[in-house]
Amino acid sequence: MSVDVGGIVVHLEHLTAEKQAVLVEQVRRIVRAAPLFRPEMPSGRKMSVRMTSAGTFGWTSDRAGYRYERQHPNGMDWPPMPPIALDIWRDVAGVARDPQSCLINFYDGDAKMGLHQDRDEADMEMPVVSISLGDEALFRVGGAKRGGKTQSIWLKSGDVAVMGGAARLNYHGIDRIRANSSTLLPNGGRINLTLRCVD
Ligand code: SIN
Ligand code: FE2
């Protein structure tokens, strides 16, 4: 089943528990090779979310701004995209291209992500596909202009959101995490995978 939240299509329980567990294993392998880091925002404040990436490009941020890079801050190329994430993109994205970047966000119980647009990519015809694993997250969605009305949905483990078409540039963010609402990750927390075409 899918629901429309401010133009963003959320495929509820898209992933079986088994698939979620395998995907978590694939993510763990990536994180072992390319450790999570806590980026600085251009303002100089540290993000509360820790992140790393897989694929040709990884998203990162520091005082110089938001951007994609071909290497992890430690100088290594990003590991290959997790295969299950690629399958999910091919299932739901509805475009011929494959994603070039898989951002891996890790939220502990206190982490959040302020309202923002995803606009560091060259081709806005390509959707953004976002996969939720682990603890539930309160996802807020607005319109393409800052300051408008917003709607919220609790994203659960296995849900997959697609931001495309008229909703591609909608503001969105994570207000809070419901700690210990899932048993998928033994130490709790939430993983979000964001798949995007970059160039
Ligand atoms: C993001 O928009 O960067 C992350 C969204 C999420 O964690 O679900
Ligand atoms: Fe985003």
Side-chain angles (χ1 to χ4, degrees):
M1 197 183 79
S2 65
V3 293
D4 182 303
V5 185
I8 295 178
V9 178
V10 182
H11 299 275
L12 303 172
E13 297 179 58
H14 188 74
L15 299 177
T16 63
E18 290 78 7
K19 272 251 167 90
Q20 292 174 42
V22 178
L23 183 50
V24 168
E25 265 322 299
Q26 295 180 357
V27 169
R28 283 192 198 291
R29 205 167 309 140
I30 290 165
V31 170
R32 278 197 294 270
L36 294 165
F37 55 97
R38 196 187 296 271
E40 257 187 3
M41 294 183 279
S43 66
R45 280 177 48 139
K46 287 262 185 188
M47 298 186 71
S48 58
V49 173
R50 290 186 292 150
M51 47 182 75
T52 188
S53 289
T56 308
F57 295 97
W59 187 88
T60 184
S61 168
D62 58 23
R63 285 178 190 250
Y66 301 129
R67 63 188 179 280
Y68 286 95
E69 292 282 1
R70 287 178 180 270
Q71 273 96 28
H72 186 280
N74 73 9
M76 67 177 285
D77 287 350
W78 304 104
M81 185 87 56
I84 291 188
L86 191 55
D87 292 343
I88 295 166
W89 170 280
R90 290 174 179 168
D91 266 5
V92 301
V95 294
R97 287 180 74 182
D98 275 340
Q100 297 172 297
S101 176
C102 174
L103 174 65
I104 298 168
N105 287 137
F106 179 79
Y107 296 76
D108 64 23
D110 298 321
K112 49 183 174 250
M113 172 127 10
L115 277 179
H116 65 277
Q117 291 173 300
D118 285 17
R119 57 171 189 205
D120 301 320
E121 302 76 32
D123 185 354
M124 292 298 160
E125 299 294 313
M126 295 298 112
V128 175
V129 172
S130 166
I131 304 164
S132 292
L133 295 168
D135 286 341
E136 295 169 17
L138 187 58
F139 183 55
R140 182 191 294 270
V141 179
K145 286 210 179 80
R146 193 181 273 287
K149 275 212 185 93
T150 64
Q151 297 176 53
S152 297
I153 181 176
W154 280 99
L155 293 177
K156 298 190 171 66
S157 196
D159 291 349
V160 176
V162 181
M163 282 184 264
R168 174 63 179 76
L169 283 167
N170 281 8
Y171 276 86
H172 60 277
I174 297 292
D175 286 345
R176 62 196 162 91
I177 301 295
R178 201 178 254 159
N180 305 312
S181 51
S182 161
T183 54
L184 182 68
L185 306 174
N187 298 321
R190 171 176 186 258
I191 296 169
N192 167 261
L193 305 180
T194 305
L195 304 171
R196 291 177 283 219
C197 294
V198 172
D199 64 9

